[in-house]
Amino acid sequence: MAEVKLNGISKSYDQGKTWIIKDVNLEIHNGEFVAFIGPSGCGKSTLLRMICGLEDITTGEMHIDGELINDHPPHERQVGMVFQSYALYPHMTVAENMAFGLKLARADKSIIKQRVDEAARMLQLEPLLERKPKAMSGGQRQRVAIGRSIVQEPRVFLFDEPLSNLDVALRVQMRQELSQLHRRLKTTSIYVTHDQVEAMTLANRIVVLSPLQPGAKTNLEQVGGPLELYHHPANLFVAGFIGSPKMNFLNAELQQPGEEWSTIKLTSGETLKVAANTSSSACGSQVIIGIRPEHVLLLPDKKQDQTEKDNTVIATVSTLERLGSESFIYLDHDSVREYLIVRVTGSGLQNENDKLGIHLPPKQCHLFSAEGLAFSRTHKPELNTCQS
Amino acid sequence: MAMVQPRNLKYRVWYARIALWLFLALILFPFLMIISVSFRSGNFATGSLIPENPSLEHWYLAFGIPWENPDGSVTEPFFPVLLWLWNSIKVAFFSSILVLMLSTTGAYAFARLRFKFREHMLTAMMILQMFPAVLALVAIYTLFDKIGDYIPWLGINSLGSVTIAYIGGIALHIWLIKGYFETIDNSLEEAAAIDGATPWQAFRYVLLPLSVPILAVVFILAFIASIGEYPVASILLHSMDKLTLAVGSQQYLNPQNYLWGDFAAAAILSGLPITIIFLACQRWIVGGLTSGGVKG
């Protein structure tokens, strides 16, 4: 159990010419479960490997429990790591795999046995203790890998995409088990994943990283609780990354800034009201309005007079994805970046090239400046907005 | 296999078999001939494959037992063949062990560590290895001559010098083992490091046990190479009791009297340790040691 503190951590493989990770400041509290999430190439695995000592830290300071560990080799850091590839020792049995670290530390035989048995019981590995890794399934192997870190009683658990080699059903099951395990052991855990479902369900807090853009000060985009990231993304990157399908973005210009309500005009001409505080911005500045597919409302009928209603936009259906219980309608609209996606429950009875009126509820809209920073939302997000 | 086969397959299989038998005969014939020569009375290189007058004359002499000729005269063994064989085994065994130790650690460095001129050194080793050792004979001779002034058991005419000289040819082995190390996922050693292993412990307890097959192969290759090596041993060893079998058996081939029979018996004897080593190492040459460790 420990707290991990990252202070201005940066990583470069070529003496500072290009940076992979830049100026990451992060405090992970005792017993917390933190997920690092980001698209591939954002450096989340590298950051984890820096914490466990498999990569050296170019600049910045890393502390575990107040102890500066920048120059400690991995075996002095007392961290446990679970690899994506399991990385079990193929020539050893399950019991030997789990006991390896303790044996190296010359622990007492009775202690080794007791800890291995305990971990095996916790992970339901008891019948498999004498097996070699090649005689086990993927889920069992990953459990052994987890057991191997448990017996070491590390200060921090590190998980490097531990579930991405498992099939979907097993992944869901292991997710539950990991969550239970953390509740029981309460060890500080850091979990790297690209799967936002894993991050949202497992973590107390999520750290969103992005691939470092040229000129950017840091690639740490936002740190926050799962729902905080969903409802209050700090910038365009987080807004687009969290949530699936991703948030819709429409280009607009600020017509009337306000502290509680702002009025904006889409590049295609429609005027919309948004519950966001834009008092700091000037009238006429470029803004981007964002709304999640599940928050867009379809107007009940296709009558053209609906355009008169507030916050309504007419768009053309371009593609339909029907998944049975829900459908995604891809719409074309002039001011939209990429697509405008609407999620509806049911089987989506619309047709391609239909003209649809959609309503963007003002309290569900996000507003971003041209630089991609979010304006703070002034109303609590409403729940239960899906419709058929 | 349920693949559809053409109708004339049967004939083609037979052609292939005949061709393979012919090829096999070509390979085996010289070997059978040596055996035949060693059991032939008198020292004749030519003759039928199955000896007309089989005799154990050459084998008695090879094992150092006096041979009583049919006419009553007794032939004393000329040379200490068994001692030579023992010398060969000692040299081959110790040099192979040293080769193994140096080439595994060397290969580990080339496979896992990053350092300056790594690629260049690998290439340079490969190229240097291409020059035959014969070219360096003079250098080897003077080197060991000089070393012998200070360390007698490493000087000229000592088995130690030959053992050390044979370690020279490890570049190929380093390449071989390095290739094998690179097939073993790095994350295994990283896991060991996090488990608390020092780099040496990770190497010793994780990488080496997984590399046993290639280590066995390298040991056998090094052993075969040193058992059969002639040029270096022939200039370093002089006195009769220090020769290796490869050098010593040349003594049978005097310009005026080629003792083919005795030579053949000695040649077969030199194959004996190789066979034993191979049989002993064979059980370590297995596949699938690393399977199950990582998901690729």
Side-chain angles (χ1 to χ4, degrees):
Chain A
M1 294 243 229
E3 53 181 34
V4 183
K5 213 161 155 189
L6 279 67
N7 209 338
I9 295 291
S10 303
K11 177 76 186 174
S12 167
Y13 283 106
D14 47 10
Q15 283 85 44
K17 268 177 245 155
T18 52
W19 294 90
I20 311 295
I21 293 171
K22 213 167 164 186
D23 197 24
V24 171
N25 292 291
L26 193 61
E27 223 170 291
I28 297 164
H29 309 304
N30 197 354
E32 204 174 17
F33 198 120
V34 168
F36 290 176
I37 187 169
S40 51
C42 71
K44 53 191 190 296
S45 281
T46 311
L47 193 56
L48 194 76
R49 291 166 63 85
M50 283 157 86
I51 296 174
C52 69
L54 295 174
E55 299 275 353
D56 47 52
I57 297 162
T58 313
T59 61
E61 287 182 349
M62 178 147 351
H63 299 267
I64 295 183
D65 264 347
E67 180 190 358
L68 182 69
I69 54 154
N70 274 33
D71 299 320
H72 288 196
H75 63 271
E76 285 175 19
R77 297 192 183 195
Q78 296 169 41
V79 297
M81 175 116 160
V82 177
F83 291 83
Q84 177 180 5
S85 64
Y86 322 138
L88 299 179
Y89 313 124
H91 55 300
M92 300 183 195
T93 63
V94 169
E96 286 167 342
N97 260 287
M98 296 207 277
F100 183 68
L102 291 175
K103 264 186 198 150
L104 289 179
R106 307 242 157 109
D108 202 55
K109 272 213 177 111
S110 59
I111 293 180
I112 296 180
K113 190 169 171 1
Q114 181 205 330
R115 288 218 209 150
V116 168
D117 286 347
E118 197 183 309
R121 196 168 49 245
M122 216 184 286
L123 297 162
Q124 294 129 48
L125 286 170
E126 281 160 317
L128 307 172
L129 277 177
E130 294 312 312
R131 282 213 205 159
K132 293 245 172 109
K134 71 175 159 198
M136 299 197 302
S137 69
Q140 290 168 335
R141 284 182 206 175
Q142 195 54 284
R143 250 188 237 142
V144 176
I146 294 169
R148 190 172 60 182
S149 353
I150 289 178
V151 294
Q152 295 264 62
E153 297 183 351
R155 298 192 284 186
V156 185
F157 274 129
L158 306 171
F159 298 94
D160 190 2
E161 309 206 16
L163 307 185
S164 51
N165 272 337
L166 306 179
D167 60 51
V168 180
L170 209 53
R171 208 178 301 168
V172 174
Q173 186 198 336
M174 287 296 288
R175 211 162 67 203
Q176 309 284 342
E177 288 181 19
L178 277 178
S179 165
Q180 283 167 12
L181 200 68
H182 179 252
R183 245 175 288 147
R184 192 176 330 169
L185 296 174
K186 297 196 173 57
T187 309
T188 313
S189 303
I190 304 173
Y191 189 103
V192 162
T193 179
H194 59 259
D195 181 347
Q196 40 174 302
V197 180
E198 277 174 26
M200 300 286 270
T201 51
L202 284 169
N204 307 124
R205 275 198 306 161
I206 297 177
V207 176
V208 183
L209 296 161
S210 65
L212 197 66
Q213 300 301 321
K217 272 197 229 102
T218 175
N219 52 346
L220 179 69
E221 295 288 346
Q222 193 176 355
V223 183
L227 290 180
E228 188 187 343
L229 295 187
Y230 179 80
H231 288 302
H232 299 283
N235 51 44
L236 268 182
F237 180 83
V238 178
F241 190 73
I242 301 284
S244 173
K246 59 184 277 190
M247 191 186 274
N248 301 304
F249 295 117
L250 296 89
N251 292 321
E253 138 184 326
L254 197 58
Q255 209 171 39
Q256 195 186 344
E259 281 201 10
E260 191 184 352
W261 297 95
S262 313
T263 313
I264 56 145
K265 194 173 155 196
L266 293 183
T267 46
S268 48
E270 296 93 332
T271 309
L272 300 176
K273 234 173 136 189
V274 175
N277 178 359
T278 52
S279 54
S280 56
S281 282
C283 180
S285 53
Q286 294 291 317
V287 291
I288 296 144
I289 174 169
I291 183 154
R292 298 201 180 275
E294 53 271 37
H295 294 151
V296 181
L297 299 178
L298 281 189
L299 292 180
D301 52 52
K302 298 173 208 161
K303 283 185 192 157
Q304 295 299 311
D305 60 291
Q306 293 289 350
T307 45
E308 300 308 313
K309 198 181 166 188
D310 276 352
N311 275 29
T312 301
V313 171
I314 303 284
T316 319
V317 176
S318 109
T319 323
L320 283 153
E321 283 180 353
R322 298 186 178 99
L323 307 178
S325 66
E326 59 184 14
S327 304
F328 300 116
I329 306 172
Y330 288 71
L331 299 163
D332 276 333
H333 187 263
D334 286 344
S335 61
V336 163
R337 299 176 157 200
E338 298 173 55
Y339 276 107
L340 182 60
I341 307 173
V342 181
R343 179 176 147 197
V344 294
T345 53
S347 308
L349 301 171
Q350 294 76 11
N351 293 311
E352 282 172 26
N353 298 322
D354 274 3
K355 284 219 181 292
L356 286 183
I358 52 169
H359 176 59
L360 313 177
K363 291 179 186 174
Q364 296 289 6
C365 290
H366 300 249
L367 203 59
F368 303 91
S369 67
E371 295 80 47
L373 294 177
F375 293 107
S376 64
R377 301 176 72 186
T378 53
H379 283 261
K380 278 209 170 153
E382 292 158 18
L383 299 170
N384 280 336
T385 47
C386 255
Q387 85 278 281
S388 54
Chain B
M1 200 163 52
M3 205 196 292
V4 176
Q5 303 285 8
R7 271 160 188 270
N8 59 359
L9 183 75
K10 209 167 86 184
Y11 304 107
R12 294 210 320 230
V13 167
W14 274 106
Y15 293 145
R17 278 181 191 159
I18 291 165
L20 285 174
W21 274 111
L22 286 174
F23 188 68
L24 206 59
L26 202 68
I27 305 288
L28 281 176
F29 188 67
F31 179 65
L32 295 175
M33 234 163 68
I34 295 175
I35 294 181
S36 157
V37 169
S38 78
F39 283 107
R40 213 174 272 163
S41 61
N43 286 294
F44 302 105
T46 50
S48 71
L49 200 56
I50 293 154
E52 279 143 22
N53 306 310
S55 104
L56 290 174
E57 169 186 356
H58 308 301
W59 285 97
Y60 265 73
L61 294 178
F63 283 108
I65 306 163
W67 171 257
E68 202 184 325
N69 291 310
D71 57 5
S73 64
V74 171
T75 316
E76 288 294 328
F78 309 111
F79 302 117
V81 177
L82 286 183
L83 180 68
W84 292 343
L85 182 66
W86 180 234
N87 285 346
S88 283
I89 292 173
K90 276 194 288 191
V91 167
F93 187 77
F94 286 112
S95 69
S96 303
I97 295 262
L98 288 170
V99 161
L100 204 58
M101 280 162 59
L102 286 176
S103 51
T104 31
T105 42
Y108 176 78
F110 281 115
R112 290 291 194 254
L113 309 179
R114 294 283 164 269
F115 47 89
K116 257 190 183 170
F117 306 121
R118 181 175 154 273
E119 297 295 325
H120 299 108
M121 283 169 73
L122 273 171
T123 326
M125 281 196 324
M126 194 58 145
I127 291 169
L128 282 176
Q129 190 85 77
M130 286 174 190
F131 293 98
V134 181
L135 296 182
L137 280 185
V138 184
I140 291 174
Y141 183 84
T142 39
L143 265 177
F144 282 102
D145 195 27
K146 203 75 193 160
I147 291 173
D149 292 347
Y150 304 97
I151 313 168
W153 59 272
L154 277 183
I156 296 294
N157 200 22
S158 70
L159 292 178
S161 64
V162 189
T163 310
I164 298 298
Y166 285 170
I167 299 174
I170 60 168
L172 217 64
H173 301 314
I174 288 183
W175 270 90
L176 207 60
I177 301 174
K178 172 186 161 279
Y180 193 89
F181 280 171
E182 279 168 355
T183 65
I184 295 175
D185 198 285
N186 208 4
S187 65
L188 290 180
E189 285 152 85
E190 292 177 349
I194 290 168
D195 267 350
T198 59
W200 167 256
Q201 285 172 324
F203 171 69
R204 167 72 189 77
Y205 295 117
V206 176
L207 196 59
L208 273 194
L210 295 177
S211 312
V212 165
I214 196 71
L215 301 187
V217 167
V218 164
F219 186 82
I220 292 173
L221 288 180
F223 196 88
I224 291 175
S226 35
I227 283 274
E229 206 280 343
Y230 178 76
V232 173
S234 74
I235 61 140
L236 286 179
L237 303 173
H238 298 147
S239 61
M240 201 58 91
D241 62 327
K242 290 282 167 57
L243 298 185
T244 61
L245 193 56
V247 179
S249 51
Q250 298 292 317
Q251 306 281 338
Y252 287 118
L253 306 179
N254 305 308
Q256 61 279 69
N257 184 16
Y258 272 40
L259 299 171
W260 281 123
D262 298 329
F263 181 82
I268 293 167
L269 268 187
S270 74
L272 201 68
I274 298 177
T275 316
I276 291 170
I277 286 290
F278 182 79
L279 290 177
C281 290
Q282 181 169 251
R283 63 199 176 99
W284 286 307
I285 307 178
V286 287
L289 260 195
T290 55
S291 67
V294 295
K295 174 117 177 190

